[in-house]
Amino acid sequence: MNSERLESLLAEYAELEQRLADPAIHADQNAARKVGRRFAELTPIAKTATELGEARADLTAARELAAEDPDFAAEAAEIEARLPELEERLAELLMPRDPNDAKDVILEIKAGEGGEESALFAGDLLRMYLRYAERHGWVTEVLDSQDSDLGGYKDVAVAIKTRGMPEGGHGVWSRLKWEGGVHRVQRVPVTESQGRIHTSAAGVLVTPEAEEAEVEIDAGDLRIDVFRSSGPGGQSVNTTDSAVRITHIPTGIVVSCQNERSQLQNKDRAMRMLRAKLAQLAEEQAAAAASDARKAQVRTVDRSERIRTYNFPQNRVTDHRIGYTAYNLDLALAGDMDGVLEALTEADRQARLAGETQLVRK
């Protein structure tokens, strides 16, 4: 166990506790949220370290008493048996973790190969994530969407947030970061008249939501276009130019939003999406400079580049990154995703324990 790292984190925890007790910090909600999230991340470490310290002190006392009274020997043995579990738990908590784990996310789903069937599947994925969020008490907000003719989605972006501070620093990103990539579906489409099974795909992109203070955006680097919102088939659904498209000229990143009737609201939502994308781009560039082995999430919606397959005839869901298979597709689509997400989390934990990089998502 790295004692220097533990001492440093405990000192930081004590400092954060003092800052949160100062009413002045709550005048700046962004600062208070940032400090609160970091405090929540360090709380399990502080609690486990305290528990371990108390157990060691109790063991010393029990051994001293056992030297005078043998009846205390059993208590000393019981305390001693607890120490390895506490030490292992603390060592695991001290391992470097994903700095974005406490953050909220912006999740985008894009229809790919398969036409209307792919768009319908994108809608199924959206409902799956919304139901999963509801199960965990998270707040969801659809930022932008482009409907398809049959009721699916060509493209949809949704913000998913925790209520208050995430417990133990485990925010939405810590659970949904595994979802970025291509999701493949195998089923008989509603558009299929002869009952043949088709394969189509939809792409999912997950980015941690960035605070305004985390990303500086020069207004001179932006090109902002306004246009009229459109619905299925391209028909206009608004009589004013309220939809907003923002292009970040240096990177070529383009975001758009048309769901709100107010141009100002659409611009605000588009800027949130842009901040998240720029923050992730900066993180990926820094990581790539440090290690060429790190891989980004799949950006193309190619069926061969899939991370997960949803097979309706067999009621099967398979995650190809870790070889996970379960025959509960109906439950997964209803929001019961904990099985596959916990398997991915455990695979990542084992990789980190073995001293490897995060192989599951990266």
Side-chain angles (χ1 to χ4, degrees):
M1 187 184 302
N2 190 328
S3 59
E4 291 183 4
R5 174 171 165 77
L6 176 59
E7 290 177 7
S8 174
L9 292 176
L10 292 179
E12 182 185 358
Y13 177 81
E15 179 189 354
L16 293 172
E17 191 171 29
Q18 289 182 340
R19 291 182 65 186
L20 287 172
D22 183 355
I25 194 174
H26 299 285
D28 184 342
Q29 288 301 310
N30 287 334
R33 190 181 303 113
K34 185 176 181 180
V35 171
R37 283 178 174 172
R38 182 58 176 164
F39 182 78
E41 288 178 22
L42 296 181
T43 296
I45 295 175
K47 286 185 176 180
T48 305
T50 299
E51 190 176 352
L52 179 58
E54 291 174 348
R56 285 173 173 167
D58 290 344
L59 178 59
T60 299
R63 282 174 173 170
E64 291 174 354
L65 291 170
E68 302 175 4
D69 185 348
D71 290 342
F72 285 97
E75 182 179 348
E78 182 180 338
I79 296 172
E80 188 173 12
R82 287 180 52 224
L83 290 182
E85 185 272 331
L86 289 171
E87 290 170 347
E88 182 179 350
R89 189 199 310 171
L90 184 57
E92 186 174 328
L93 288 170
L94 288 174
M95 288 191 305
R97 61 182 294 177
D98 188 331
N100 292 319
D101 271 354
K103 289 189 175 183
D104 302 320
V105 308
I106 293 177
L107 186 147
E108 300 173 68
I109 308 172
K110 301 177 183 294
E113 296 181 22
E116 280 294 337
E117 165 61 7
S118 177
L120 290 171
F121 178 51
D124 292 335
L125 290 177
L126 174 64
R127 283 184 288 275
M128 178 179 74
Y129 293 124
L130 293 179
R131 289 166 179 168
Y132 181 75
E134 184 179 3
R135 283 171 174 259
H136 286 264
W138 296 338
V139 179
T140 59
E141 175 190 8
V142 175
L143 300 177
D144 190 38
S145 64
Q146 295 182 40
D147 302 342
S148 70
D149 292 334
L150 296 183
Y153 291 94
K154 297 176 182 177
D155 197 336
V156 59
V158 57
I160 307 178
K161 300 174 173 288
T162 55
R163 296 182 188 272
M165 293 301 162
E167 184 177 352
H170 297 291
V172 181
W173 173 259
S174 71
R175 298 295 284 176
L176 294 186
K177 60 185 173 183
W178 318 115
E179 295 305 289
V182 174
H183 296 240
R184 184 176 67 171
V185 62
Q186 296 172 328
R187 64 183 176 187
V188 178
V190 294
T191 54
E192 170 59 52
S193 59
Q194 299 183 28
R196 293 175 297 185
I197 296 174
H198 287 223
T199 298
S200 60
V204 175
L205 179 63
V206 188
T207 51
E209 183 153 12
E211 304 285 350
E212 284 191 49
E214 294 179 302
V215 182
E216 291 187 11
I217 301 178
D218 188 338
D221 290 338
L222 302 179
R223 184 175 71 243
I224 301 177
D225 302 306
V226 295
F227 55 98
R228 292 189 181 182
S229 305
S230 62
Q235 72 268 30
S236 176
V237 294
N238 202 344
T239 57
T240 60
D241 292 339
S242 60
V244 174
R245 180 187 300 109
I246 301 177
T247 303
H248 186 252
I249 298 171
T251 62
I253 293 176
V254 179
V255 294
S256 62
C257 187
Q258 63 174 6
N259 276 32
E260 300 297 328
R261 292 187 176 276
S262 162
Q263 186 181 120
L264 186 61
Q265 287 178 307
N266 282 327
K267 181 181 178 182
D268 179 65
R269 289 184 170 191
M271 286 297 293
R272 285 171 59 188
M273 295 167 66
L274 179 60
R275 277 195 298 270
K277 289 178 181 292
L278 288 174
Q280 187 184 49
L281 177 62
E283 180 185 337
E284 289 176 351
Q285 289 174 338
S291 172
D292 292 334
R294 186 175 178 185
K295 298 178 181 179
Q297 295 178 29
V298 177
R299 294 304 200 278
T300 58
V301 189
D302 181 340
R303 287 181 301 212
S304 65
E305 297 286 344
R306 85 284 190 209
I307 63 166
R308 190 176 301 151
T309 295
Y310 304 76
N311 184 293
F312 276 70
Q314 298 178 17
N315 196 38
R316 170 173 57 84
V317 56
T318 298
D319 195 286
H320 304 285
R321 295 165 291 184
I322 57 172
Y324 173 93
T325 294
Y327 293 88
N328 62 348
L329 175 57
D330 53 338
L331 296 178
L333 290 175
D336 187 359
M337 300 172 60
D338 282 327
V340 62
L341 293 181
E342 286 172 5
L344 287 159
T345 300
E346 177 60 19
D348 179 68
R349 187 183 77 88
Q350 292 295 337
R352 289 187 291 118
L353 282 171
E356 302 170 15
T357 54
Q358 296 181 2
L359 298 179
V360 173
R361 187 181 63 90
K362 307 296 184 184

